[in-house]
Amino acid sequence: MSSVHIQNITKSFGKVEVLKDVSLNIPDGEFVSLVGPSGCGKSTLLRIIAGLEQQSSGQIRIDDRVIDNVRPSERNISMVFQSYALYPHLSVFDNISVPLRMSRLNSIQRLPGLRHLLPGARAVEKGIRADVEQVASLLDMKQLLDRKPGELSGGQRQRVAVGRAIVREPHAFLLDEPLSNLDAKLRVHMRTEIAQLHRRLGATFIYVTHDQAEAMTMSDRIAVLMDGELVQVGSPDDVYNEPQDIRVAEFIGSPRINTFAGEIRSDGGVDLLGVPTGLVTDAEAGPAQVGLRPEALRLVPVGEGVFAGTVTHIENLGAELMVHFVNENMERPAIIRLDHIERHRLDVGESIEIDFLPGAVRLFGPDGARVPTEEFMEKQLVNA
Amino acid sequence: MRRIRFGEIIKQLVLVIGAIIILAPFYQMITTSLKAPSEIADGTLSPIPREWHAVQNYTEAFTATPLARYMLNGVIVTASIFILQVLIALPCAYALSKLRWWGREVVFGLVLFCLLIPPHAVAIPVYLMFHSIGILDSYAALIVPWTISVFGIFLMRQFFMTVPDDLVDAARMDGISELGIVWRVMLPTALPALTAFGIFSVIAHWNDYFWPLIVLSSREFYTPPLGISVFRNEEFGFEFGPLMAAATVIIAPLVIAFIVAQRRFIEGITLTGMK
């Protein structure tokens, strides 16, 4: 197992710059997710690490070895593809043994039929069978070894693809949206399974996804890519609680973070929809954006709220309620997350008052970058 | 209920008439091959021979000319052509569909352009070239002009386009070389398309009359269609019985192969359409 070092990688397709100076060090055994909206360059970065794509500039190292001009198969990295990419004409056993046969048998021994005839090849083949069976029992699919990929369900195919990746004990695993072809229920289940596999193997995992929930639930660290730039790298908690860019704040977390029009006054005070938030900042005065997670908002009795609104929609998720509301100063509805246990009796069209903790406010400048704030003053109530 | 039945009858009737029109010559060929010369000569088209003359006609077909030799030539030529076409078309199709290189689109355009050239148009230049290198009247003369099948390249390229790129990338990650990918990954996945191409290729070259007629002068290289023509020369006059017997014998392999592999052929063709 090994560390992977990505240094100043850029990649252009013609005039389009897909990756702009991306650097990331991934220590041995870490589970890193590359997340971002589609077209942000995350798959391209993964393909560059795999060697399937050549970077325009920059360097990739595994431990201390520069692998820029090394062929994909000689990088000793394995990859799980979104479409699984199993060989349709081979049985599960043969699918998993392909990488072993390619590395352990020479080209004459690989000729059809010869691997069962030549004495040297037979010994190697025996070792391959043992290794494949070990992987099959690790992934609990020994009973599938004789089937063809066409006879397997989506989840089983995915498992075979993982098996083919782990059988040769690579330096690192690259996973390119491996769960996106599965149905929602199975996806949640496989999330757990992949995270457990990572713990058991202790290997370096680089996982590409556009699903922030997958990144949040499995990763040691999340790397958020936006428009070819690495915007933020941090633990799931970090990225969720301390987003350094409004795009990160909006991408991570479901439902999306609420953003309100705000302003930094000339005295340094921060206003939200024209209401002082009780925060100050050293940043330049001017318009800003205020982010508040749905769970940072609270429903309060009339007269105690910081601002008021009208309920436009209620999503009942069983354990919790998502209440959508607007007021005249807001560009689009905001969402409050309420525990179901609170048993709020709300109806669409009802007027509500909302409060928040100043510590939950995330302030972003006009360029979208995070602006540091400090708590300073008492909040001003709506009716005060 | 009645009207539906009536429509059904009309439909079947049309199909039966169509089948009769298409099958009648074949039926005539087979019955003629079973008749005595006197019965053929009297001009009646009796559906069943009055006097069975099958043994004499078929014996004559095999003894008057080396028909078995012609058939063997046919097998050698069509098999060699198909194998060489596959050996050339698959790597070309792979390069045209899965590899990125400068000028790929232009080369593919040229492939499409070559599809437009009828083989008869280039027959004379090819003949002259073969004459100057001295390979006229040989197996090579029968095989070489057909080894590069632009139709095969085009068909396989279209099929390879539908094979996901991920599969090729996975094979690269697993350490399979580019040529290895062609033979170990693309060939097995393309078997349905290859079967379809095989049918076209084998039928076309087994039945080809034009090109062997031009390049061959020695009978030892004659292919089955040329073999039939031997029955029609001044030496034999018009012996329709043995002639039809020989014709039946040379189309028999194709018909038998089709009946045996019917299900696979049709499977192959529909799979090509679906993938």
Side-chain angles (χ1 to χ4, degrees), chain B residues 108 155 169 176 217 231 239 264 267:
Chain B
F108 183 59
L155 187 79
D169 285 339
I176 305 179
S217 45
F231 285 92
E239 284 204 69
R264 278 201 72 93
E267 229 172 44

Side-chain angles (χ1 to χ4, degrees), chain B residues 4-226:
Chain B
I4 292 169
R5 265 193 156 168
F6 182 69
E8 201 64 29
I9 289 167
I10 295 282
K11 215 159 51 182
Q12 296 296 335
L13 208 65
V14 169
L15 288 174
V16 166
I17 291 170
I20 288 173
I21 291 172
I22 290 167
L23 291 175
F26 286 94
Y27 185 74
Q28 189 61 34
M29 175 186 79
I30 291 167
T31 49
T32 307
S33 79
L34 304 173
K35 287 174 185 171
S38 57
E39 191 185 337
I40 299 168
D42 72 11
T44 53
L45 289 173
S46 57
I48 297 165
R50 282 193 301 268
E51 185 191 342
W52 291 82
H53 217 257
V55 178
Q56 292 90 324
N57 284 341
Y58 281 86
T59 313
E60 172 128 21
F62 276 95
T63 51
T65 64
L67 188 59
R69 173 63 195 253
Y70 299 156
M71 303 273 286
L72 179 69
N73 286 344
V75 170
I76 292 172
V77 170
T78 47
S80 309
I81 289 175
F82 181 60
I83 291 168
L84 288 168
Q85 281 177 334
V86 170
L87 282 176
I88 292 168
L90 282 189
C92 289
Y94 176 71
L96 285 170
S97 59
K98 293 293 171 199
L99 301 180
R100 271 180 280 168
W101 40 281
W102 189 86
R104 186 176 85 164
E105 299 314 313
V106 176
V107 172
F108 183 59
L110 289 175
V111 168
L112 290 179
F113 177 71
C114 287
L115 277 176
L116 302 176
I117 303 173
H120 307 93
V122 292
I124 302 302
V126 173
Y127 180 87
L128 293 175
M129 274 163 59
F130 281 14
H131 174 71
S132 65
I133 58 174
I135 60 164
L136 283 176
D137 200 20
S138 67
Y139 283 132
L142 292 174
I143 295 166
V144 170
W146 311 107
T147 48
I148 301 176
S149 164
V150 278
F151 174 69
I153 295 172
F154 172 73
L155 187 79
M156 296 317 290
R157 184 259 185 193
Q158 295 308 96
F159 187 84
F160 285 177
M161 293 294 281
T162 66
V163 174
D165 287 347
D166 276 1
L167 191 63
V168 176
D169 285 339
R172 286 185 186 135
M173 298 289 294
D174 285 345
I176 305 179
S177 66
E178 295 298 316
L179 269 178
I181 291 174
V182 174
W183 304 119
R184 302 165 144 267
V185 180
M186 301 306 262
L187 173 66
T189 45
L191 271 184
L194 209 58
T195 314
F197 174 59
I199 296 168
F200 288 120
S201 168
V202 167
I203 290 177
H205 295 112
W206 180 266
N207 290 337
D208 191 14
Y209 181 70
F210 173 75
W211 184 248
L213 184 67
I214 288 185
V215 293
L216 292 183
S217 45
S218 320
R219 286 214 179 147
E220 54 179 310
F221 297 118
Y222 270 21
T223 54
L226 279 186

Side-chain angles (χ1 to χ4, degrees), chain A residues 7 21 49 62 83 106 155 164 184 198 214 221 253 257 278 302 305 307 312 318 320 323 326 335 350 376 379-380:
Chain A
Q7 266 175 8
D21 197 24
I49 300 171
I62 292 182
S83 59
N106 62 37
R164 185 175 61 179
H198 171 248
E214 284 176 17
R221 279 197 305 163
I257 194 168
V302 176
F307 54 90
T312 58
E320 55 197 8
V323 178
V326 281
I335 301 174
E350 200 170 317
F376 183 67
K379 281 179 294 186
Q380 190 181 327

Side-chain angles (χ1 to χ4, degrees), chain A residues 53-99:
Chain A
E53 204 84 62
Q54 187 71 39
Q55 65 266 38
S56 303
S57 67
Q59 194 181 64
I60 306 275
R61 279 184 296 128
I62 292 182
D63 292 330
D64 292 326
R65 180 171 165 235
V66 177
I67 55 165
D68 296 334
N69 295 313
V70 178
R71 290 168 46 142
S73 54
E74 280 148 26
R75 296 184 177 200
N76 200 11
I77 291 176
S78 51
M79 185 153 170
V80 177
F81 293 87
Q82 183 175 357
S83 59
Y84 317 133
L86 301 176
Y87 305 113
H89 59 291
L90 296 180
S91 68
V92 169
F93 176 85
D94 288 329
N95 258 289
I96 298 176
S97 54
V98 165

